[in-house]
Structures are given as C-alpha cells and as structure tokens.
Amino acid sequence: QSALTQPASVSESPGQSIAISCTGSSSDIGGYDYVSWYQQHPGKAPKLIIYDVTNRPSGVSNRFSGTKSGNTASLTISGLQAEDEADYYCSSYTSGSSPWVFGGGTKLTVL
Amino acid sequence: EVQLVESGGGLVQPGGSLRLSCAASGFDFSTSWLNWVRQAPGKGLEWVANINEEGSEKYYVDSVKGRFTISRDSAKNSLYLQMNSVRAEDTAVYYCAKGGLGSGFSFAYWGQGNLVTVSS
C-alpha cells in the first residue's frame, strides 16, 4: 500500500481537462510544500513535470499545473493530447521513516 | 547536459549479491545528493536510498536496511548500490536520480533504469 493515494485510472477526451488527486497526511503533503509530479510512458524513465507543488521545469508544457490544499495535491492537465496518455505519479517529502513517498500512480487514458 | 547511466543489473539468485553503478556527467558531482529509486514490474515508484555530497550521510528505506549499501566515488563520478541478501521482492528496475530544481526535494534527473531480477 502506497503512502500517498491516487486514483488508479482516469480517462478523458482530447481537448478536455482533467485533474488527478493525490492524498496524503500532515506528515507529508500537508506538512511540506515539496510535492512533485512525474509522467512515465511505458518502458521509459519517469519525467519530472511539477516540483515544489506548482512549479514547472523548463520545457514542460504550461498545460500542466499543480496545486495543493491541506493534505491533498492535484495535477491538472488542460487541452489533453494523445501524447499525454501515460502513468502519473505524485511524490512528497515526508517526516516518516523514508524521506520521500510516492503515490501508487494514475493511468491516464486519452479517449 | 545532465546524464545518469546505470549498469550492473541482471539475474541474481535469492540470497545473492549484485552491485549497481551509475555514471554521472554534466553536473558538479561533488556537490550533489544522489538517490536510488526502484520500480517493481507493473508497480509504482519506491525511493530506496540516498547519499550526501561527501558520502558521510546515507539513508535507506526500511525494507533494505542492513542489506543494501549506497556509496559514491567522486574521482569516478559514480554512484553505487551494493545489494546483498537479495529477495524476490527486490526485483525491479533501479533508477539513479538527483534533484536540482527549486528546493531540491524532487527528482529532476533520472537514469534510463537497470533491471534487477531475483530468481532461482
């Protein structure tokens, strides 16, 4: 069981927007502004798309945005494109036994 | 350009040992914390271990404590993970990863991954 909870799968049509939630606790998401999001295509390494809750690395599309409220973080993808179809993982720094925890991942299908 | 290239994976029997390597380039190796993150087949990501710039601080996920050892060699710009007493549940793709953006509490750079299979 992952420390952070994400929906296993989501789906939406091209051009639409979708939000993926990531729920933790006051020991991780709620306690630090160190939430990050990763995109992973099959057989590839994860790619950082959001860091420190809301920031995008250089080169990442502005269609990706991140927010946080209390113990829940969210990744929103607007103007969905076929290339966005991938697995998405959230992560947070934590005061637990390991410094980082990940969510179980969300498979995004662009219909 | 930051590059992280893992090597050393493969098939190992339960109870056996294996050493993973990660060759780094494109950044100041001596000033960077480095991490190992793994992903079991069809599963999610799991942080495994990290090491500070000097190699004097090392942290591990509970499931590998006492079995895995992380180390680094600044002369070779390389990161290592010595895996001893491996178990079937250690089967995974192992990535080396580093921060570098904002607070540093994210994994901005990843290697291509290296598969370790524990099986008899």
Side-chain angles (χ1 to χ4, degrees):
Chain A
Q1 184 177 359
S2 302
L4 305 179
T5 301
Q6 298 180 235
S9 63
V10 295
S11 60
E12 187 53 270
S13 302
Q16 300 302 305
S17 296
I18 197 160
I20 299 173
S21 63
C22 173
T23 302
S25 69
S26 58
S27 297
D28 37 68
I29 292 176
Y32 305 93
D33 287 333
Y34 299 146
V35 177
S36 52
W37 289 89
Y38 303 85
Q39 177 192 61
Q40 187 179 35
H41 288 107
K44 301 295 187 181
K47 173 187 176 183
L48 178 68
I49 56 174
I50 296 289
Y51 66 95
D52 296 351
V53 181
T54 62
N55 298 284
R56 280 187 312 275
S58 175
V60 172
S61 171
N62 59 8
R63 298 186 297 105
F64 294 92
S65 61
T67 58
K68 188 188 87 166
S69 178
N71 297 337
T72 299
S74 296
L75 171 71
T76 298
I77 310 172
S78 60
L80 279 168
Q81 300 177 1
E83 67 206 48
D84 298 332
E85 189 163 289
D87 294 326
Y88 291 84
Y89 294 91
C90 61
S91 179
S92 176
Y93 184 77
T94 173
S95 60
S97 59
S98 297
W100 280 275
V101 290
F102 286 92
T106 298
K107 181 177 181 59
L108 169 63
T109 300
V110 180
L111 301 170
Chain B
E1 178 191 6
V2 173
Q3 286 200 327
L4 300 168
V5 180
E6 300 97 342
S7 61
L11 177 64
V12 58
Q13 292 188 340
S17 298
L18 199 65
R19 188 175 88 153
L20 302 182
S21 300
C22 174
S25 61
F27 63 98
D28 189 348
F29 185 85
S30 64
T31 63
S32 299
W33 279 76
L34 295 168
N35 302 268
W36 288 100
V37 177
R38 68 184 178 183
Q39 185 172 35
K43 302 297 184 182
L45 300 167
E46 180 183 39
W47 175 84
V48 175
N50 69 353
I51 186 169
N52 72 338
E53 301 91 333
E54 297 86 9
S56 57
E57 294 183 47
K58 304 175 185 182
Y59 300 94
Y60 302 91
V61 67
D62 286 347
S63 59
V64 309
K65 285 179 182 175
R67 301 188 299 121
F68 290 10
T69 301
I70 189 172
S71 62
R72 62 192 295 160
D73 185 336
S74 292
K76 296 182 178 180
N77 276 15
S78 291
L79 173 72
Y80 305 101
L81 186 67
Q82 178 67 42
M83 306 169 61
N84 296 333
S85 302
V86 296
R87 306 167 180 167
E89 55 264 36
D90 296 321
T91 294
V93 174
Y94 285 75
Y95 297 98
C96 61
K98 71 178 288 296
L101 297 181
S103 66
F105 290 100
S106 61
F107 305 107
Y109 305 98
W110 297 70
Q112 84 284 0
N114 205 338
L115 177 62
V116 172
T117 302
V118 181
S119 175
S120 55

